[in-house]
């Protein structure tokens, strides 16, 4: 046993000696190779070139980050235009104090910022009030922006070159290598800008994204106990903000853009207001500033469907000066429907098709009335009720010769409408979504325009007030684009506005739907 242990230890000792000799030999060869490499002129030149490229690239990134903005007059705005490193490569238009309008204009790694520092009120008023003023201003905007971008690019190239020279002089302490570092910084920056220019997407101007904070946010709108004291201030400030951003966006939409015609039929889709009075003010501002032709409300205006709710809250519809098309939701009662029907601008749909503002609307009421969540029918029976209502509407639309869009409250009611109508509007879920039902039919589910009602103020995670502006081709009646508007409620006061343009080849109108569902003509013998 001891002999075997001694033999094992001896073998281990031999193995360690052998490994040590190999490591020592490898270290010796490495030192000799490094010595030869240091004595090699070619290797030294390669190392110097690599160092210049590394330092020059770093100087380019640092110089680009230090580039200041250049002042420019763009239309009625005094603007600062600047470049900065940005992997996403977006163009950001900053509108103090409202927020940012963001365009996915190109790929990175260089981003463009335009800050609207101030506006000449007289020039802006002239543009808006002069016939054709907006069109004339839009023609000069492109050249103004181009001139400003060219200036800031030239300034950026000069700054990164100077930065490369200074860093090269500090790093290498020779004039030749400092010049090479400056040239490297210039070449790298020019290459990055050239790449960004080759990825330019001019169509992005038609699909901006708005992000910002409420400029007139009240200092305190907190828990439910504060609502009674601060609610009028909250509503007034919200209305001011919506008016401001809507006016800016309306001006932008008047300029030539892809996907939206000046004579488009504009429908505001709202849903699930749930007794939130501020929703009326928000809708009123959007209707006025976006030149809305009609409002489509897919239900749940009330919470409990009581007579008091119906009588008092429905008065808000008088603020909307366009046709208001309504289908009943599961929180709306027959009393709700009766109160709304008393107003001249309200059209309540329940299993019929009506032409309103050049579009044929079909709609059906939610068959359920379930304000009390503890007393709801079984899911199987509820599904049968919803499907039956959708089938009834599908039959009515077919009998009427088709419709341009249909309105239901709960998304399952839309399933029988696939292949019957090109567009179905719904609500109920309090979550915005777009689904392809197949056979050329799209389902658009709206979020809660009332942010789930006043009880939302008591939530730690408040919902947003959501609505969509839908744009329809005046000839084909196909949906061509839509703007998704989200406004924070309660203490959350940020705003998002996204535009989606539907490619021409993907636009579906009622004639195409009806044509695809017509029975085949009988064949003759």
């Amino acid at each position: 046993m001891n002999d075997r242990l001694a033999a094992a230890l001896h073998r281990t000792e031999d193995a360690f000696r052998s490994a040590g000799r190999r490591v020592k030999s490898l270290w010796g060869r490495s030192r000799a190779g490094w010595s030869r490499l240091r004595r090699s002129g070619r290797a030294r030149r390669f190392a110097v070139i690599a160092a210049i490229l590394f330092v020059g690239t770093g100087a380019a990134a640092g110089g680009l980050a230090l580039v200041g903005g250049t002042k420019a007059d763009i239309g009625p705005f005094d603007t600062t235009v600047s470049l900065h490193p940005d992997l996403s490569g977006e163009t950001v238009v900053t509108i103090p104090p409202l927020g940012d309008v963001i365009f996915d204009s190109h790929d990175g790694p260089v981003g463009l910022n335009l800050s609207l520092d101030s506006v000449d009120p007289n020039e802006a008023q002239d543009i808006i009030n002069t016939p054709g003023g907006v069109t004339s201003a839009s023609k000069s905007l492109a050249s103004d922006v181009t001139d400003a971008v060219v200036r800031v690019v030239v300034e950026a190239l000069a700054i990164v070159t100077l930065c490369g020279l200074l860093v090269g002089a500090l790093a290498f302490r020779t004039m030749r290598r400092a010049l090479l570092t400056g040239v490297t910084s210039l070449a790298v920056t020019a290459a990055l800008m050239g790449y960004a220019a080759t990825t330019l997407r001019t169509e992005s101007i038609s699909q901006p994204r708005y992000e910002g904070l409420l400029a007139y946010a009240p200092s305190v709108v907190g828990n439910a106990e504060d609502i009674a004291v601060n609610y009028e201030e909250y509503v007034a400030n919200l209305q001011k903000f919506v008016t401001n951003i809507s006016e800016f966006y309306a001006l932008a939409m008047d300029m030539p853009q892809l996907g939206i015609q000046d004579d488009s039929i504009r429908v505001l889709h709202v849903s699930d207001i749930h007794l939130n009075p501020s929703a009326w003010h928000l809708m009123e501002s959007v209707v006025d500033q976006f030149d809305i032709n009609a409002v489509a409300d897919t239900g749940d205006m009330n919470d409990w469907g009581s007579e008091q709710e119906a009588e008092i809250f429905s008065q808000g519809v008088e603020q909307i000066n366009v046709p208001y098309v309504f289908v009943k939701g599961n929180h709306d009662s027959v009393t709700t429907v009766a109160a709304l029907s008393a107003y001249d601008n309200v059209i309540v749909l329940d299993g019929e098709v009506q032409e309103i503002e050049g579009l044929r609307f079909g709609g059906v009421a939610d068959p359920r009335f379930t304000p009390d969540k503890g007393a709801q029918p079984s899911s199987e029976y509820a599904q049968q009720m919803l499907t039956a209502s959708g089938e009834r509407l599908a039959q009515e639309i077919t009998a009427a010769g088709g419709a341009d869009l249909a309105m239901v409250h709960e998304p399952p009611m839309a399933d029988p409408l696939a292949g019957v109508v090109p567009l179905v509007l719904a609500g109920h879920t309090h979550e915005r979504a777009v689904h392809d039902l197949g056979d050329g039919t799209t389902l658009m589910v709206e979020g809660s325009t009332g942010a789930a009602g006043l009880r939302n103020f008591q939530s730690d995670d408040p919902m947003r007030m959501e609505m969509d502006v839908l744009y329809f081709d005046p000839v084909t009646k196909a949906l061509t684009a839509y703007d998704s508007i989200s406004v924070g409620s309660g203490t959350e006061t940020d705003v998002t506005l996204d535009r989606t343009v539907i490619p021409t080849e993907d636009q579906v109108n009622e004639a195409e739907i009806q044509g695809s569902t017509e029975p085949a003509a009988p064949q003759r013998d």
Side-chain angles (χ1 to χ4, degrees), residues 209-241:
R209 183 174 80 253
Y210 178 81
E211 295 178 355
L213 296 176
L214 195 64
Y216 301 99
S219 57
V220 179
V221 179
N223 55 34
E225 289 76 16
D226 293 329
I227 293 175
V229 177
N230 298 295
Y231 189 73
E232 289 300 321
E233 180 184 1
Y234 168 78
V235 170
N237 289 328
L238 176 64
Q239 188 174 12
K240 290 177 184 178
F241 167 73

PDB file of all heavy atoms in Angstrom, residues 209-241:
ATOM      1  N   ARG A 209     -44.204  60.426 -33.379  1.00  0.00           N
ATOM      2  CA  ARG A 209     -44.571  59.973 -32.040  1.00  0.00           C
ATOM      3  C   ARG A 209     -44.389  61.149 -31.098  1.00  0.00           C
ATOM      4  O   ARG A 209     -43.356  61.807 -31.120  1.00  0.00           O
ATOM      5  CB  ARG A 209     -43.669  58.803 -31.624  1.00  0.00           C
ATOM      6  CG  ARG A 209     -44.037  58.215 -30.261  1.00  0.00           C
ATOM      7  CD  ARG A 209     -43.219  56.966 -29.951  1.00  0.00           C
ATOM      8  NE  ARG A 209     -41.877  57.251 -29.474  1.00  0.00           N
ATOM      9  CZ  ARG A 209     -40.780  57.079 -30.176  1.00  0.00           C
ATOM     10  NH1 ARG A 209     -40.848  56.653 -31.427  1.00  0.00           N
ATOM     11  NH2 ARG A 209     -39.587  57.355 -29.671  1.00  0.00           N
ATOM     12  N   TYR A 210     -45.399  61.419 -30.275  1.00  0.00           N
ATOM     13  CA  TYR A 210     -45.314  62.542 -29.350  1.00  0.00           C
ATOM     14  C   TYR A 210     -45.108  62.029 -27.934  1.00  0.00           C
ATOM     15  O   TYR A 210     -45.803  61.120 -27.487  1.00  0.00           O
ATOM     16  CB  TYR A 210     -46.578  63.403 -29.394  1.00  0.00           C
ATOM     17  CG  TYR A 210     -46.516  64.533 -28.396  1.00  0.00           C
ATOM     18  CD1 TYR A 210     -45.823  65.695 -28.699  1.00  0.00           C
ATOM     19  CD2 TYR A 210     -47.101  64.414 -27.152  1.00  0.00           C
ATOM     20  CE1 TYR A 210     -45.713  66.714 -27.771  1.00  0.00           C
ATOM     21  CE2 TYR A 210     -46.993  65.423 -26.213  1.00  0.00           C
ATOM     22  CZ  TYR A 210     -46.299  66.565 -26.530  1.00  0.00           C
ATOM     23  OH  TYR A 210     -46.178  67.556 -25.609  1.00  0.00           O
ATOM     24  N   GLU A 211     -44.146  62.614 -27.241  1.00  0.00           N
ATOM     25  CA  GLU A 211     -43.899  62.264 -25.851  1.00  0.00           C
ATOM     26  C   GLU A 211     -43.630  63.553 -25.086  1.00  0.00           C
ATOM     27  O   GLU A 211     -42.852  64.392 -25.536  1.00  0.00           O
ATOM     28  CB  GLU A 211     -42.697  61.323 -25.713  1.00  0.00           C
ATOM     29  CG  GLU A 211     -42.907  59.957 -26.364  1.00  0.00           C
ATOM     30  CD  GLU A 211     -41.686  59.072 -26.260  1.00  0.00           C
ATOM     31  OE1 GLU A 211     -40.656  59.576 -25.772  1.00  0.00           O
ATOM     32  OE2 GLU A 211     -41.767  57.902 -26.668  1.00  0.00           O
ATOM     33  N   GLY A 212     -44.267  63.687 -23.938  1.00  0.00           N
ATOM     34  CA  GLY A 212     -44.013  64.907 -23.193  1.00  0.00           C
ATOM     35  C   GLY A 212     -44.732  64.932 -21.866  1.00  0.00           C
ATOM     36  O   GLY A 212     -45.345  63.965 -21.433  1.00  0.00           O
ATOM     37  N   LEU A 213     -44.658  66.066 -21.217  1.00  0.00           N
ATOM     38  CA  LEU A 213     -45.298  66.265 -19.927  1.00  0.00           C
ATOM     39  C   LEU A 213     -46.318  67.377 -20.016  1.00  0.00           C
ATOM     40  O   LEU A 213     -46.210  68.282 -20.842  1.00  0.00           O
ATOM     41  CB  LEU A 213     -44.257  66.624 -18.857  1.00  0.00           C
ATOM     42  CG  LEU A 213     -43.223  65.543 -18.557  1.00  0.00           C
ATOM     43  CD1 LEU A 213     -42.210  66.081 -17.556  1.00  0.00           C
ATOM     44  CD2 LEU A 213     -43.893  64.303 -18.009  1.00  0.00           C
ATOM     45  N   LEU A 214     -47.305  67.315 -19.163  1.00  0.00           N
ATOM     46  CA  LEU A 214     -48.361  68.309 -19.145  1.00  0.00           C
ATOM     47  C   LEU A 214     -47.805  69.636 -18.628  1.00  0.00           C
ATOM     48  O   LEU A 214     -47.371  69.740 -17.487  1.00  0.00           O
ATOM     49  CB  LEU A 214     -49.493  67.825 -18.242  1.00  0.00           C
ATOM     50  CG  LEU A 214     -50.839  68.530 -18.352  1.00  0.00           C
ATOM     51  CD1 LEU A 214     -51.412  68.310 -19.731  1.00  0.00           C
ATOM     52  CD2 LEU A 214     -51.776  67.985 -17.307  1.00  0.00           C
ATOM     53  N   ALA A 215     -47.817  70.654 -19.485  1.00  0.00           N
ATOM     54  CA  ALA A 215     -47.212  71.929 -19.112  1.00  0.00           C
ATOM     55  C   ALA A 215     -47.969  72.611 -17.978  1.00  0.00           C
ATOM     56  O   ALA A 215     -47.389  73.302 -17.154  1.00  0.00           O
ATOM     57  CB  ALA A 215     -47.159  72.847 -20.321  1.00  0.00           C
ATOM     58  N   TYR A 216     -49.279  72.408 -17.945  1.00  0.00           N
ATOM     59  CA  TYR A 216     -50.097  73.101 -16.947  1.00  0.00           C
ATOM     60  C   TYR A 216     -50.588  72.138 -15.870  1.00  0.00           C
ATOM     61  O   TYR A 216     -51.688  72.276 -15.349  1.00  0.00           O
ATOM     62  CB  TYR A 216     -51.281  73.765 -17.637  1.00  0.00           C
ATOM     63  CG  TYR A 216     -50.878  74.753 -18.696  1.00  0.00           C
ATOM     64  CD1 TYR A 216     -50.870  74.398 -20.039  1.00  0.00           C
ATOM     65  CD2 TYR A 216     -50.480  76.041 -18.350  1.00  0.00           C
ATOM     66  CE1 TYR A 216     -50.494  75.312 -21.011  1.00  0.00           C
ATOM     67  CE2 TYR A 216     -50.100  76.950 -19.318  1.00  0.00           C
ATOM     68  CZ  TYR A 216     -50.111  76.589 -20.648  1.00  0.00           C
ATOM     69  OH  TYR A 216     -49.734  77.474 -21.614  1.00  0.00           O
ATOM     70  N   ALA A 217     -49.794  71.127 -15.552  1.00  0.00           N
ATOM     71  CA  ALA A 217     -50.233  70.133 -14.570  1.00  0.00           C
ATOM     72  C   ALA A 217     -50.506  70.804 -13.233  1.00  0.00           C
ATOM     73  O   ALA A 217     -49.721  71.616 -12.761  1.00  0.00           O
ATOM     74  CB  ALA A 217     -49.154  69.081 -14.379  1.00  0.00           C
ATOM     75  N   PRO A 218     -51.625  70.473 -12.606  1.00  0.00           N
ATOM     76  CA  PRO A 218     -51.898  71.019 -11.272  1.00  0.00           C
ATOM     77  C   PRO A 218     -50.909  70.464 -10.263  1.00  0.00           C
ATOM     78  O   PRO A 218     -50.414  69.356 -10.400  1.00  0.00           O
ATOM     79  CB  PRO A 218     -53.319  70.531 -10.980  1.00  0.00           C
ATOM     80  CG  PRO A 218     -53.476  69.317 -11.821  1.00  0.00           C
ATOM     81  CD  PRO A 218     -52.661  69.570 -13.060  1.00  0.00           C
ATOM     82  N   SER A 219     -50.619  71.261  -9.273  1.00  0.00           N
ATOM     83  CA  SER A 219     -49.626  70.829  -8.298  1.00  0.00           C
ATOM     84  C   SER A 219     -50.137  69.692  -7.434  1.00  0.00           C
ATOM     85  O   SER A 219     -49.362  68.841  -7.008  1.00  0.00           O
ATOM     86  CB  SER A 219     -49.237  72.017  -7.398  1.00  0.00           C
ATOM     87  OG  SER A 219     -50.402  72.542  -6.766  1.00  0.00           O
ATOM     88  N   VAL A 220     -51.433  69.645  -7.192  1.00  0.00           N
ATOM     89  CA  VAL A 220     -51.976  68.584  -6.349  1.00  0.00           C
ATOM     90  C   VAL A 220     -53.293  68.092  -6.931  1.00  0.00           C
ATOM     91  O   VAL A 220     -54.265  68.818  -6.962  1.00  0.00           O
ATOM     92  CB  VAL A 220     -52.233  69.082  -4.901  1.00  0.00           C
ATOM     93  CG1 VAL A 220     -52.813  67.945  -4.053  1.00  0.00           C
ATOM     94  CG2 VAL A 220     -50.955  69.601  -4.276  1.00  0.00           C
ATOM     95  N   VAL A 221     -53.301  66.870  -7.430  1.00  0.00           N
ATOM     96  CA  VAL A 221     -54.550  66.158  -7.676  1.00  0.00           C
ATOM     97  C   VAL A 221     -54.261  64.738  -7.218  1.00  0.00           C
ATOM     98  O   VAL A 221     -53.748  63.920  -7.963  1.00  0.00           O
ATOM     99  CB  VAL A 221     -54.963  66.165  -9.165  1.00  0.00           C
ATOM    100  CG1 VAL A 221     -56.247  65.376  -9.341  1.00  0.00           C
ATOM    101  CG2 VAL A 221     -55.184  67.591  -9.658  1.00  0.00           C
ATOM    102  N   GLY A 222     -54.566  64.463  -5.970  1.00  0.00           N
ATOM    103  CA  GLY A 222     -54.106  63.218  -5.386  1.00  0.00           C
ATOM    104  C   GLY A 222     -55.183  62.190  -5.216  1.00  0.00           C
ATOM    105  O   GLY A 222     -55.767  61.716  -6.177  1.00  0.00           O
ATOM    106  N   ASN A 223     -55.470  61.849  -3.976  1.00  0.00           N
ATOM    107  CA  ASN A 223     -56.396  60.759  -3.711  1.00  0.00           C
ATOM    108  C   ASN A 223     -57.845  61.199  -3.892  1.00  0.00           C
ATOM    109  O   ASN A 223     -58.136  62.337  -4.245  1.00  0.00           O
ATOM    110  CB  ASN A 223     -56.171  60.224  -2.290  1.00  0.00           C
ATOM    111  CG  ASN A 223     -56.283  61.337  -1.255  1.00  0.00           C
ATOM    112  OD1 ASN A 223     -57.064  62.260  -1.411  1.00  0.00           O
ATOM    113  ND2 ASN A 223     -55.490  61.243  -0.202  1.00  0.00           N
ATOM    114  N   ALA A 224     -58.754  60.295  -3.646  1.00  0.00           N
ATOM    115  CA  ALA A 224     -60.170  60.570  -3.903  1.00  0.00           C
ATOM    116  C   ALA A 224     -60.678  61.745  -3.078  1.00  0.00           C
ATOM    117  O   ALA A 224     -61.570  62.486  -3.506  1.00  0.00           O
ATOM    118  CB  ALA A 224     -60.997  59.313  -3.610  1.00  0.00           C
ATOM    119  N   GLU A 225     -60.119  61.937  -1.856  1.00  0.00           N
ATOM    120  CA  GLU A 225     -60.580  63.047  -1.011  1.00  0.00           C
ATOM    121  C   GLU A 225     -60.246  64.403  -1.618  1.00  0.00           C
ATOM    122  O   GLU A 225     -60.896  65.404  -1.337  1.00  0.00           O
ATOM    123  CB  GLU A 225     -59.942  62.935   0.379  1.00  0.00           C
ATOM    124  CG  GLU A 225     -60.478  61.792   1.232  1.00  0.00           C
ATOM    125  CD  GLU A 225     -59.932  60.454   0.792  1.00  0.00           C
ATOM    126  OE1 GLU A 225     -58.934  60.435   0.059  1.00  0.00           O
ATOM    127  OE2 GLU A 225     -60.507  59.430   1.180  1.00  0.00           O
ATOM    128  N   ASP A 226     -59.188  64.465  -2.462  1.00  0.00           N
ATOM    129  CA  ASP A 226     -58.777  65.737  -3.055  1.00  0.00           C
ATOM    130  C   ASP A 226     -59.565  66.084  -4.305  1.00  0.00           C
ATOM    131  O   ASP A 226     -59.497  67.226  -4.775  1.00  0.00           O
ATOM    132  CB  ASP A 226     -57.283  65.691  -3.423  1.00  0.00           C
ATOM    133  CG  ASP A 226     -56.401  65.610  -2.195  1.00  0.00           C
ATOM    134  OD1 ASP A 226     -56.792  66.147  -1.157  1.00  0.00           O
ATOM    135  OD2 ASP A 226     -55.332  64.997  -2.309  1.00  0.00           O
ATOM    136  N   ILE A 227     -60.253  65.115  -4.887  1.00  0.00           N
ATOM    137  CA  ILE A 227     -60.904  65.349  -6.173  1.00  0.00           C
ATOM    138  C   ILE A 227     -61.921  66.482  -6.085  1.00  0.00           C
ATOM    139  O   ILE A 227     -61.988  67.351  -6.955  1.00  0.00           O
ATOM    140  CB  ILE A 227     -61.576  64.059  -6.669  1.00  0.00           C
ATOM    141  CG1 ILE A 227     -60.498  63.026  -7.000  1.00  0.00           C
ATOM    142  CG2 ILE A 227     -62.449  64.322  -7.884  1.00  0.00           C
ATOM    143  CD1 ILE A 227     -61.071  61.675  -7.379  1.00  0.00           C
ATOM    144  N   ALA A 228     -62.721  66.491  -5.025  1.00  0.00           N
ATOM    145  CA  ALA A 228     -63.777  67.497  -4.912  1.00  0.00           C
ATOM    146  C   ALA A 228     -63.206  68.906  -4.886  1.00  0.00           C
ATOM    147  O   ALA A 228     -63.790  69.847  -5.420  1.00  0.00           O
ATOM    148  CB  ALA A 228     -64.598  67.245  -3.650  1.00  0.00           C
ATOM    149  N   VAL A 229     -62.030  69.061  -4.268  1.00  0.00           N
ATOM    150  CA  VAL A 229     -61.422  70.383  -4.140  1.00  0.00           C
ATOM    151  C   VAL A 229     -60.702  70.795  -5.422  1.00  0.00           C
ATOM    152  O   VAL A 229     -60.792  71.935  -5.871  1.00  0.00           O
ATOM    153  CB  VAL A 229     -60.435  70.397  -2.945  1.00  0.00           C
ATOM    154  CG1 VAL A 229     -59.736  71.751  -2.839  1.00  0.00           C
ATOM    155  CG2 VAL A 229     -61.176  70.060  -1.666  1.00  0.00           C
ATOM    156  N   ASN A 230     -59.988  69.867  -6.036  1.00  0.00           N
ATOM    157  CA  ASN A 230     -59.091  70.199  -7.143  1.00  0.00           C
ATOM    158  C   ASN A 230     -59.596  69.799  -8.516  1.00  0.00           C
ATOM    159  O   ASN A 230     -58.910  70.025  -9.505  1.00  0.00           O
ATOM    160  CB  ASN A 230     -57.730  69.525  -6.915  1.00  0.00           C
ATOM    161  CG  ASN A 230     -57.062  70.011  -5.645  1.00  0.00           C
ATOM    162  OD1 ASN A 230     -56.702  71.162  -5.528  1.00  0.00           O
ATOM    163  ND2 ASN A 230     -56.952  69.115  -4.679  1.00  0.00           N
ATOM    164  N   TYR A 231     -60.767  69.201  -8.586  1.00  0.00           N
ATOM    165  CA  TYR A 231     -61.180  68.617  -9.855  1.00  0.00           C
ATOM    166  C   TYR A 231     -61.375  69.662 -10.941  1.00  0.00           C
ATOM    167  O   TYR A 231     -60.960  69.458 -12.089  1.00  0.00           O
ATOM    168  CB  TYR A 231     -62.472  67.821  -9.665  1.00  0.00           C
ATOM    169  CG  TYR A 231     -62.830  67.019 -10.887  1.00  0.00           C
ATOM    170  CD1 TYR A 231     -62.098  65.879 -11.201  1.00  0.00           C
ATOM    171  CD2 TYR A 231     -63.833  67.421 -11.734  1.00  0.00           C
ATOM    172  CE1 TYR A 231     -62.387  65.152 -12.326  1.00  0.00           C
ATOM    173  CE2 TYR A 231     -64.132  66.696 -12.865  1.00  0.00           C
ATOM    174  CZ  TYR A 231     -63.413  65.560 -13.157  1.00  0.00           C
ATOM    175  OH  TYR A 231     -63.704  64.845 -14.275  1.00  0.00           O
ATOM    176  N   GLU A 232     -61.982  70.806 -10.614  1.00  0.00           N
ATOM    177  CA  GLU A 232     -62.208  71.831 -11.630  1.00  0.00           C
ATOM    178  C   GLU A 232     -60.887  72.374 -12.157  1.00  0.00           C
ATOM    179  O   GLU A 232     -60.737  72.627 -13.358  1.00  0.00           O
ATOM    180  CB  GLU A 232     -63.060  72.969 -11.056  1.00  0.00           C
ATOM    181  CG  GLU A 232     -64.510  72.601 -10.805  1.00  0.00           C
ATOM    182  CD  GLU A 232     -65.192  72.163 -12.086  1.00  0.00           C
ATOM    183  OE1 GLU A 232     -64.922  72.759 -13.151  1.00  0.00           O
ATOM    184  OE2 GLU A 232     -65.996  71.212 -12.032  1.00  0.00           O
ATOM    185  N   GLU A 233     -59.903  72.529 -11.260  1.00  0.00           N
ATOM    186  CA  GLU A 233     -58.579  72.973 -11.693  1.00  0.00           C
ATOM    187  C   GLU A 233     -57.941  71.925 -12.614  1.00  0.00           C
ATOM    188  O   GLU A 233     -57.351  72.263 -13.639  1.00  0.00           O
ATOM    189  CB  GLU A 233     -57.683  73.213 -10.478  1.00  0.00           C
ATOM    190  CG  GLU A 233     -56.276  73.689 -10.851  1.00  0.00           C
ATOM    191  CD  GLU A 233     -55.377  73.826  -9.640  1.00  0.00           C
ATOM    192  OE1 GLU A 233     -55.858  73.536  -8.524  1.00  0.00           O
ATOM    193  OE2 GLU A 233     -54.211  74.206  -9.815  1.00  0.00           O
ATOM    194  N   TYR A 234     -58.083  70.673 -12.251  1.00  0.00           N
ATOM    195  CA  TYR A 234     -57.533  69.583 -13.080  1.00  0.00           C
ATOM    196  C   TYR A 234     -58.130  69.602 -14.468  1.00  0.00           C
ATOM    197  O   TYR A 234     -57.429  69.537 -15.479  1.00  0.00           O
ATOM    198  CB  TYR A 234     -57.802  68.244 -12.397  1.00  0.00           C
ATOM    199  CG  TYR A 234     -57.546  67.051 -13.276  1.00  0.00           C
ATOM    200  CD1 TYR A 234     -56.251  66.611 -13.515  1.00  0.00           C
ATOM    201  CD2 TYR A 234     -58.600  66.369 -13.866  1.00  0.00           C
ATOM    202  CE1 TYR A 234     -56.015  65.523 -14.331  1.00  0.00           C
ATOM    203  CE2 TYR A 234     -58.375  65.275 -14.679  1.00  0.00           C
ATOM    204  CZ  TYR A 234     -57.095  64.858 -14.908  1.00  0.00           C
ATOM    205  OH  TYR A 234     -56.851  63.790 -15.716  1.00  0.00           O
ATOM    206  N   VAL A 235     -59.460  69.712 -14.540  1.00  0.00           N
ATOM    207  CA  VAL A 235     -60.143  69.708 -15.836  1.00  0.00           C
ATOM    208  C   VAL A 235     -59.723  70.907 -16.676  1.00  0.00           C
ATOM    209  O   VAL A 235     -59.439  70.790 -17.870  1.00  0.00           O
ATOM    210  CB  VAL A 235     -61.673  69.687 -15.639  1.00  0.00           C
ATOM    211  CG1 VAL A 235     -62.394  69.926 -16.957  1.00  0.00           C
ATOM    212  CG2 VAL A 235     -62.105  68.358 -15.049  1.00  0.00           C
ATOM    213  N   ALA A 236     -59.659  72.090 -16.049  1.00  0.00           N
ATOM    214  CA  ALA A 236     -59.283  73.298 -16.792  1.00  0.00           C
ATOM    215  C   ALA A 236     -57.867  73.189 -17.342  1.00  0.00           C
ATOM    216  O   ALA A 236     -57.607  73.537 -18.501  1.00  0.00           O
ATOM    217  CB  ALA A 236     -59.413  74.517 -15.884  1.00  0.00           C
ATOM    218  N   ASN A 237     -56.951  72.705 -16.525  1.00  0.00           N
ATOM    219  CA  ASN A 237     -55.566  72.580 -16.965  1.00  0.00           C
ATOM    220  C   ASN A 237     -55.408  71.521 -18.044  1.00  0.00           C
ATOM    221  O   ASN A 237     -54.638  71.693 -18.990  1.00  0.00           O
ATOM    222  CB  ASN A 237     -54.666  72.250 -15.777  1.00  0.00           C
ATOM    223  CG  ASN A 237     -54.506  73.425 -14.836  1.00  0.00           C
ATOM    224  OD1 ASN A 237     -54.522  74.567 -15.272  1.00  0.00           O
ATOM    225  ND2 ASN A 237     -54.377  73.156 -13.551  1.00  0.00           N
ATOM    226  N   LEU A 238     -56.147  70.440 -17.916  1.00  0.00           N
ATOM    227  CA  LEU A 238     -56.103  69.413 -18.945  1.00  0.00           C
ATOM    228  C   LEU A 238     -56.594  69.962 -20.269  1.00  0.00           C
ATOM    229  O   LEU A 238     -56.016  69.717 -21.327  1.00  0.00           O
ATOM    230  CB  LEU A 238     -56.959  68.213 -18.519  1.00  0.00           C
ATOM    231  CG  LEU A 238     -57.083  67.088 -19.538  1.00  0.00           C
ATOM    232  CD1 LEU A 238     -55.714  66.465 -19.794  1.00  0.00           C
ATOM    233  CD2 LEU A 238     -58.056  66.027 -19.049  1.00  0.00           C
ATOM    234  N   GLN A 239     -57.667  70.751 -20.214  1.00  0.00           N
ATOM    235  CA  GLN A 239     -58.218  71.315 -21.442  1.00  0.00           C
ATOM    236  C   GLN A 239     -57.218  72.276 -22.090  1.00  0.00           C
ATOM    237  O   GLN A 239     -57.043  72.280 -23.313  1.00  0.00           O
ATOM    238  CB  GLN A 239     -59.526  72.040 -21.138  1.00  0.00           C
ATOM    239  CG  GLN A 239     -60.276  72.501 -22.381  1.00  0.00           C
ATOM    240  CD  GLN A 239     -61.623  73.084 -22.037  1.00  0.00           C
ATOM    241  OE1 GLN A 239     -61.913  73.347 -20.883  1.00  0.00           O
ATOM    242  NE2 GLN A 239     -62.457  73.298 -23.038  1.00  0.00           N
ATOM    243  N   LYS A 240     -56.527  73.083 -21.280  1.00  0.00           N
ATOM    244  CA  LYS A 240     -55.516  73.981 -21.834  1.00  0.00           C
ATOM    245  C   LYS A 240     -54.429  73.207 -22.558  1.00  0.00           C
ATOM    246  O   LYS A 240     -54.013  73.554 -23.658  1.00  0.00           O
ATOM    247  CB  LYS A 240     -54.867  74.806 -20.707  1.00  0.00           C
ATOM    248  CG  LYS A 240     -55.777  75.851 -20.074  1.00  0.00           C
ATOM    249  CD  LYS A 240     -55.047  76.547 -18.943  1.00  0.00           C
ATOM    250  CE  LYS A 240     -55.935  77.541 -18.220  1.00  0.00           C
ATOM    251  NZ  LYS A 240     -55.230  78.172 -17.088  1.00  0.00           N
ATOM    252  N   PHE A 241     -53.970  72.147 -21.904  1.00  0.00           N
ATOM    253  CA  PHE A 241     -52.888  71.371 -22.503  1.00  0.00           C
ATOM    254  C   PHE A 241     -53.317  70.726 -23.815  1.00  0.00           C
ATOM    255  O   PHE A 241     -52.622  70.788 -24.815  1.00  0.00           O
ATOM    256  CB  PHE A 241     -52.421  70.288 -21.536  1.00  0.00           C
ATOM    257  CG  PHE A 241     -51.538  69.282 -22.201  1.00  0.00           C
ATOM    258  CD1 PHE A 241     -50.247  69.603 -22.543  1.00  0.00           C
ATOM    259  CD2 PHE A 241     -52.018  68.030 -22.526  1.00  0.00           C
ATOM    260  CE1 PHE A 241     -49.438  68.691 -23.175  1.00  0.00           C
ATOM    261  CE2 PHE A 241     -51.217  67.113 -23.161  1.00  0.00           C
ATOM    262  CZ  PHE A 241     -49.930  67.445 -23.488  1.00  0.00           C
TER     263      PHE A 241
END
